[in-house]
């Protein structure tokens, strides 16, 4: 089952970078700039040295944070349960969830080799946009990655990534809903915390 | 024997090339790299204009004289399940623009070119089309309670309004895209897939997990250490090429004649020029295959997934896809070449070779998931739904 390709593709999940964009720059332009920036960081020979590992991760993290709207992602992932949260809980959740996403995917993109990213399509409706891209790896098949974006304060931000038809937000949403239904929201938070600690070790 | 294959290939190549050229001449759609410059600047300008108050035509203002399609306040007797924070959406036919006129929770009136959203105090669920005088008006409702049974019919309304939105700006979003954007308040009801056998499935999932780490992964890893990646890719190509009949037949069953011809062409080229499918030459000519299988064919015929299943060794599946897999196995030429033991050996080798090219991916899924069982189930369903759509 080639669904597993999805996880190869995740490296591009993070292929965004810092972009100082003009207020109404088209979404594809925003993505293109940032993908280039990420690739630059990954290819930088100086940053490849082991003692630079932490610096490189910090750089990657900050670039991701500029384009990913983690609050929007959290909101959509929790769905109906988001509204039931207090302000304090919301803040905590966004922080934990963004760490979880970053942790997992930075690990992945660090193994970046020489995939090529081509943007194929852009569709805009009001403040929503879908940007489609194809990642071409030399050996394997093409992988399609769609970005769902939302314009906030004139800036396009990513709120979901769909890799080979699998939406990250939906995937986490299904898992989180299971946990909340079977146990509680508190259990979910506990589980995310445990996951993060495990990875620290 | 060799001569016969040669003959067949010689016959197939021009034939399928002919069909391909014939069919594709009518509508050739190829992916071209995205072009940014001119189109979007224009579009940007338009966008900016709409945002300015001065760009709002008088027609909208005149609407105040038109009887307002009044919404129903929360708690009203008309439909207590639905909270209507009435908003009006106006399509100006002369200027081809779409405007939303709406009132926020504080009673402030807004005219925008984007629909009211949660930040504005409303989540549009569906759009109702209406006519006031000569102007088409769309009413957005906010269903905070439960999704209504007639939502299917409603979404066709969205579709019809989408066609109009298209004129306002670039390409429209598809019907389902919009629903997904706005559904995030609503997915409480409805499972991704029914899973009545969950205890059994979870047991098989654990079994597969153990099997992977104890047997399959070490085997695939050892094999990968011995055999260079390039060679393993070649093997993969060979096995993929040989299952062409499965794809051709399923394309035909789904009425995709052009894709079927394409598959035949791909098979012919890869078998001849690509030496028995070892090199995917056809792809470099821009001939793209269609990964169709019988599970997808059934889906096209309207068969639902049925209950979710986790199969030993094979992994995630559903009742529909199990039937599909079995049918495709019957169509797979490899399964007909020899005795059962030989077939089993070949299929095992194919499996290990494939796994060797995807090492680390299952680990990745497990590492990113809070509940790997659910994560895999959801990913499987989403992935299959997407395959069916293609």
């Amino acid at each position: 089952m080639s669904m597993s390709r999805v996880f190869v593709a995740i490296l591009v999940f993070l292929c965004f970078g810092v972009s100082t964009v003009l207020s109404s720059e088209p979404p594809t332009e925003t993505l293109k700039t940032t993908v280039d920036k990420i690739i630059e960081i990954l290819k930088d020979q100086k940053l490849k040295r082991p003692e630079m590992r932490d610096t490189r991760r910090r750089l990657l993290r900050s670039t991701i944070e500029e384009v990913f709207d983690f609050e929007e992602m959290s909101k959509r992932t929790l769905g109906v349960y988001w509204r039931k949260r207090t302000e304090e809980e919301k803040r905590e959740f966004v922080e934990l969830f963004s760490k979880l996403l970053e942790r997992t995917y930075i690990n992945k993109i660090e193994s970046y080799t020489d995939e090529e990213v081509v943007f194929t399509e852009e569709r805009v409706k009001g403040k929503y946009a879908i940007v489609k891209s194809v990642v071409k790896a030399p050996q394997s098949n093409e992988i399609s990655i769609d970005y769902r974006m939302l314009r906030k304060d004139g800036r396009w931000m990513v709120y979901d990534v769909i890799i080979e038809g699998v939406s990250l937000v939906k995937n986490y949403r299904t898992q989180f809903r299971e946990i909340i239904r079977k146990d509680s929201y508190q259990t979910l938070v506990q589980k995310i915390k445990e996951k993060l600690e495990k990875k620290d070790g | 024997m060799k001569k016969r294959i040669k003959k067949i290939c010689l016959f197939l190549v021009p034939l399928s090339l002919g069909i391909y050229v014939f069919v594709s001449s009518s509508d050739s759609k190829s992916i071209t790299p995205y072009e940014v410059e001119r189109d979007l600047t224009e579009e940007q300008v338009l966008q900016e204009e709409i945002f300015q108050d001065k760009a709002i035509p008088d027609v909208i203002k005149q609407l105040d004289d038109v009887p307002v399609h009044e919404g129903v306040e929360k708690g009203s007797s008309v439909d207590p399940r639905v909270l209507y924070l009435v908003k009006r959406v106006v399509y100006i036919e002369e200027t081809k623009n779409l405007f939303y006129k709406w009132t926020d929770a504080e009673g402030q009136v807004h005219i925008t070119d984007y629909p009211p959203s949660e930040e504005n105090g409303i989540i549009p669920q569906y759009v109702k089309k209406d006519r006031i005088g000569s102007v088409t008006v769309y009413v957005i409702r906010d269903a905070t309670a439960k999704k209504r049974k007639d939502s299917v019919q409603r979404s066709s309304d969205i579709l019809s309004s989408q066609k109009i939105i298209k004129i306002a700006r670039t390409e429209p979003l598809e019907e389902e895209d919009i629903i997904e954007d706005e559904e995030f308040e609503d997915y409480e009801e409805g499972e991704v897939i029914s899973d009545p056998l969950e205890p059994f499935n979870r047991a098989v999932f654990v079994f597969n997990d153990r099997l992977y780490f104890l047997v399959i992964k070490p085997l695939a890893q050892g094999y990968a250490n011995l055999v260079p990646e390039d060679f393993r890719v070649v093997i993969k190509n060979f096995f993929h090429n040989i299952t062409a009949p499965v794809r051709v037949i399923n394309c035909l069953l789904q009425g995709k004649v052009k894709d079927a011809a394409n598959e035949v062409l791909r098979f012919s080229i890869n078998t001849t020029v690509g030496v028995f499918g070892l090199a995917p030459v056809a792809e470099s000519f821009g001939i793209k295959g269609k990964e169709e299988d019988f599970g997808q064919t059934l889906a096209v015929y309207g068969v639902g997934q049925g209950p979710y299943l986790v199969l030993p060794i094979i992994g995630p599946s559903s009742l529909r896809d199990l039937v599909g897999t079995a049918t495709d196995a019957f169509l797979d030429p490899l399964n007909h070449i020899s005795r059962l033991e030989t077939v089993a050996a070949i299929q095992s080798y194919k499996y290990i070779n494939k796994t060797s090219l995807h090492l680390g991916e299952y680990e990745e899924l497990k590492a990113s998931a809070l509940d790997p069982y659910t994560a895999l189930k959801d990913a499987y369903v989403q992935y299959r739904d997407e395959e069916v759509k293609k």
Side-chain angles (χ1 to χ4, degrees):
Chain A
M1 198 191 55
S2 53
M3 192 206 71
S4 44
R5 266 195 289 153
V6 162
F7 293 95
V8 168
I10 270 157
L11 63 99
V12 186
F13 173 80
L14 284 202
C15 285
F16 297 97
V18 190
S19 67
T20 47
V21 284
L22 295 168
S23 58
S24 55
E25 190 182 45
T28 308
E29 218 25 31
T30 313
L31 278 179
K32 218 169 175 258
T33 322
T34 49
V35 166
D36 292 348
K37 281 253 166 76
I38 275 275
I39 291 172
E40 212 171 281
I41 297 174
L42 288 168
K43 283 193 173 163
D44 193 321
Q45 290 302 326
K46 272 184 235 150
L47 290 172
K48 273 184 183 167
R49 275 180 285 179
E51 69 268 23
M52 297 297 277
R53 195 169 164 270
D54 288 345
T55 319
R56 191 161 97 147
R57 289 205 154 197
R58 244 199 329 276
L59 272 173
L60 290 172
R61 194 167 297 152
S62 66
T63 42
I64 290 149
E65 276 166 9
E66 296 236 354
V67 194
F68 274 62
D69 190 338
F70 284 121
E71 197 190 318
E72 194 64 34
M73 285 180 167
S74 307
K75 214 194 266 183
R76 285 165 186 269
T77 306
L78 274 188
V80 281
Y81 301 107
W82 175 260
R83 285 208 167 165
K84 295 177 187 158
R85 304 277 75 84
T86 64
E87 284 309 310
E88 185 53 44
E89 282 175 324
K90 283 179 185 173
R91 247 196 313 279
E92 186 198 23
F93 185 82
V94 174
E95 202 192 314
L96 287 172
F97 187 47
S98 49
K99 267 191 192 155
L100 179 70
L101 285 169
E102 278 173 2
R103 193 72 61 86
T104 314
Y105 300 118
I106 285 184
N107 281 340
K108 190 71 207 174
I109 56 163
E110 283 189 325
S111 61
Y112 176 87
T113 46
D114 30 53
E115 280 82 356
E116 186 199 347
V117 183
V118 181
F119 292 97
T120 52
E121 198 186 337
E122 174 192 271
R123 286 187 286 157
V124 182
K125 195 219 134 204
K127 55 178 193 165
Y128 290 105
I130 293 176
V131 176
K132 299 195 170 195
S133 73
V134 169
V135 180
K136 289 174 183 169
Q139 288 289 21
S140 52
N141 298 335
E142 288 182 355
I143 297 149
S144 81
I145 302 185
D146 301 351
Y147 303 94
R148 284 176 184 275
M149 301 177 85
L150 186 63
R151 192 181 54 210
K152 269 188 183 168
D153 306 322
R155 208 187 133 74
W156 287 104
M157 300 286 280
V158 174
Y159 71 84
D160 195 5
V161 183
I162 296 114
I163 302 161
E164 287 285 296
V166 180
S167 142
L168 275 179
V169 164
K170 259 196 197 165
N171 194 271
Y172 273 114
R173 192 165 75 191
T174 313
Q175 293 179 54
F176 290 1
R177 187 180 58 194
E178 276 296 294
I179 294 167
I180 295 177
R181 270 200 199 151
K182 279 188 185 154
D183 291 292
S184 63
Y185 173 76
Q186 279 68 33
T187 314
L188 172 68
V189 172
Q190 195 50 42
K191 281 196 169 179
I192 300 178
K193 280 181 182 161
E194 277 165 20
K195 192 99 205 168
L196 290 172
E197 270 164 32
K198 220 196 244 171
K199 288 205 148 191
D200 271 336
Chain B
M1 183 65 189
K2 261 187 189 169
K3 262 189 182 170
R4 237 169 80 195
I5 294 175
K6 228 177 169 181
K7 252 187 185 171
I8 291 171
C9 292
L10 278 175
F11 173 70
L12 279 178
V13 174
L15 177 75
S16 47
L17 195 70
I19 299 174
Y20 177 74
V21 171
F22 174 73
V23 184
S24 61
S25 57
S26 49
D27 62 322
S28 55
K29 246 191 195 169
S30 61
I31 297 176
T32 45
Y34 179 72
E35 283 172 34
V36 206
E37 295 311 324
R38 221 187 45 235
D39 290 6
L40 281 162
T41 350
E42 244 178 62
E43 175 196 313
Q44 243 169 273
V45 173
L46 178 67
Q47 200 171 306
E48 285 306 303
E49 269 176 17
I50 297 169
F51 276 125
Q52 306 297 320
D53 270 21
K54 61 174 191 256
I56 295 168
D58 286 341
V59 192
I60 286 229
K61 288 166 193 149
Q62 283 162 25
L63 261 186
D64 290 334
D65 310 328
V66 179
V68 176
H69 188 104
E70 199 51 73
V72 184
E73 292 303 316
K74 192 184 185 180
S76 142
S77 59
V78 178
D79 188 350
R81 286 173 304 171
V82 180
L83 168 70
Y84 297 26
L85 281 166
V86 179
K87 316 306 121 182
R88 283 190 293 172
V89 181
V90 181
Y91 166 60
I92 311 299
E93 283 177 282
E94 299 88 278
T95 55
K96 312 267 185 270
N97 282 333
L98 189 74
F99 291 95
Y100 299 78
K101 183 167 181 175
W102 47 277
T103 324
D104 63 21
E106 273 98 51
Q108 190 87 32
V109 179
H110 300 265
I111 300 174
T112 53
D113 70 328
Y114 52 87
S117 68
E118 198 188 27
E119 291 94 85
N120 309 320
I122 178 171
I123 319 256
Q125 283 296 331
Y126 49 82
V127 181
K128 192 180 170 222
K129 199 168 141 190
D130 220 318
R131 276 191 91 80
I132 297 173
S134 60
V135 189
T136 314
V137 173
Y138 294 91
V139 180
I140 292 180
R141 290 174 177 176
D142 178 15
T144 48
K146 279 185 180 153
K147 204 180 202 171
R148 295 158 57 111
K149 276 178 193 157
D150 55 355
S151 61
V152 179
Q153 189 222 323
R154 289 275 148 72
S155 50
S156 65
D157 286 344
I158 297 185
L159 188 67
S160 62
S161 73
Q162 278 330 107
K163 281 174 188 147
I164 294 162
I165 293 172
K166 182 180 185 176
I167 312 167
R169 211 153 313 131
T170 54
E171 287 237 1
L173 297 178
E174 300 295 328
E175 176 189 354
E176 58 249 61
D177 295 336
I178 303 283
I179 293 168
E180 198 189 300
D181 279 339
E182 291 153 359
E183 84 175 341
F184 69 96
E185 283 294 300
D186 229 345
Y187 39 70
E188 179 50 1
E189 25 101 46
E191 296 292 336
V192 273
I193 186 169
S194 76
D195 194 358
L197 301 173
E198 187 173 336
F200 165 79
N201 282 341
R202 277 195 186 264
V204 181
F205 176 80
V206 172
F207 169 78
N208 282 346
D209 181 80
R210 300 263 162 80
L211 186 74
Y212 175 76
F213 284 108
L214 293 174
V215 182
I216 296 168
K217 191 184 174 184
L219 269 176
Q221 188 67 63
Y223 170 69
N225 293 342
L226 285 173
V227 182
E229 190 180 348
D230 292 354
F231 187 76
R232 284 179 282 135
V233 170
V234 164
I235 297 294
K236 186 200 80 181
N237 292 340
F238 171 78
F239 281 126
H240 183 265
N241 187 56
I242 220 166
T243 53
V246 177
R247 295 187 292 274
V248 174
I249 289 170
N250 281 301
C251 279
L252 288 174
L253 287 175
Q254 293 173 34
K256 297 172 176 170
V257 181
K258 183 187 162 185
D259 292 322
N262 234 336
E263 251 328 308
V264 173
L265 178 68
R266 177 163 81 151
F267 176 74
S268 316
I269 293 180
N270 285 343
T271 307
T272 52
V273 187
V275 193
F276 298 113
L278 299 182
V281 201
E283 277 81 348
S284 55
F285 295 156
I287 297 160
K288 283 193 183 141
K290 255 268 158 44
E291 304 300 322
E292 298 295 356
D293 54 54
F294 197 66
Q296 293 180 54
T297 303
L298 289 174
V300 170
Y301 293 162
V303 180
Q305 287 269 18
Y308 180 66
L309 293 174
V310 182
L311 305 173
I313 307 170
I314 296 173
S317 188
S318 67
L319 189 58
R320 183 191 73 199
D321 288 341
L322 175 62
V323 173
T325 312
T327 313
D328 291 336
F330 179 73
L331 294 172
D332 185 348
L334 275 183
N335 292 340
H336 296 281
I337 48 164
S338 186
R339 285 175 308 157
L340 191 65
E341 306 91 85
T342 323
V343 168
I346 293 173
Q347 292 291 9
S348 308
Y349 174 62
K350 182 181 170 182
Y351 186 77
I352 295 294
N353 185 68
K354 190 182 171 187
T355 310
S356 78
L357 290 164
H358 295 282
L359 285 170
E361 289 173 18
Y362 175 65
E363 290 85 334
E364 198 67 40
L365 174 122
K366 270 188 91 177
S368 66
L370 286 191
D371 176 2
Y373 173 81
T374 311
L376 192 61
K377 176 164 82 176
D378 178 81
Y380 178 73
V381 173
Q382 283 198 50
Y383 176 76
R384 288 299 290 173
D385 285 351
E386 185 64 20
E387 289 275 279
V388 170
K389 267 195 251 164
K390 274 187 203 161

